Amino acid sequence: MSRDVRSRVEVLQGTLELLILRTLLAGPTHGHAIAKHIHRTSEELLQIETGSLYPALHRLEAKGWILASWELSNKGKRARFYRLTPLGRKQLVTERSKWETFSRAVALILNPADRETE
């Protein structure tokens, strides 16, 4: 896949919150590291822009799914670190289930021949 096509992949609305929750399952981290992890783990298909990331983090914090605190990064700079709350862990299970149902439904529509041969 060419770089031009990769750069055009966009995250569906609501999906970013799921990706953030899943990223934070590994432990507390700061915003830039969250975006970098999503980018790297998606084989560079997804690039999360600052203008999308931080509003999503604020929404998750307002819902009580994550907590934020100021800490020192590995480079000795002050950064806001985010961590999952117990409620956020439960919500991750719910959101993942919703995503799996949604992606199955889309796959059924996109690949009707698979069902027609059954």
Side-chain angles (χ1 to χ4, degrees):
M1 188 177 285
S2 75
R3 272 289 201 208
D4 292 339
V5 173
R6 286 182 180 207
S7 67
R8 290 191 214 129
V9 175
E10 293 182 23
V11 176
L12 293 172
Q13 186 174 359
T15 306
L16 179 54
E17 291 180 359
L18 170 62
L19 298 177
I20 292 169
L21 292 174
R22 177 59 184 93
T23 299
L24 291 176
L25 189 59
T29 192
H30 55 84
H32 178 72
I34 293 169
K36 193 173 175 181
H37 178 267
I38 292 169
H39 183 68
R40 187 178 55 248
T41 306
S42 71
E43 297 179 353
E44 300 181 1
L45 290 168
L46 301 176
Q47 183 158 351
I48 308 304
E49 301 297 328
T50 302
S52 299
L53 177 65
Y54 289 97
L57 288 167
H58 294 298
R59 285 191 305 273
L60 291 171
E61 191 176 7
K63 292 175 182 179
W65 298 349
I66 65 172
L67 288 175
S69 60
W70 289 99
E71 300 175 25
L72 289 179
S73 71
N74 292 342
K75 296 180 179 179
K77 293 185 178 183
R78 234 177 123 220
R80 197 159 165 121
F81 276 68
Y82 300 90
R83 63 185 33 84
L84 273 180
T85 64
L87 184 59
R89 287 180 185 275
K90 289 180 184 176
Q91 192 62 35
L92 173 57
V93 172
T94 300
E95 295 301 316
R96 185 174 181 159
S97 176
K98 286 181 190 177
W99 176 257
E100 288 169 352
T101 300
F102 173 77
S103 61
R104 180 176 178 270
V106 170
L108 291 170
I109 293 166
L110 294 178
N111 303 306
D114 293 348
R115 286 191 52 124
E116 291 168 2
T117 59
E118 293 178 358

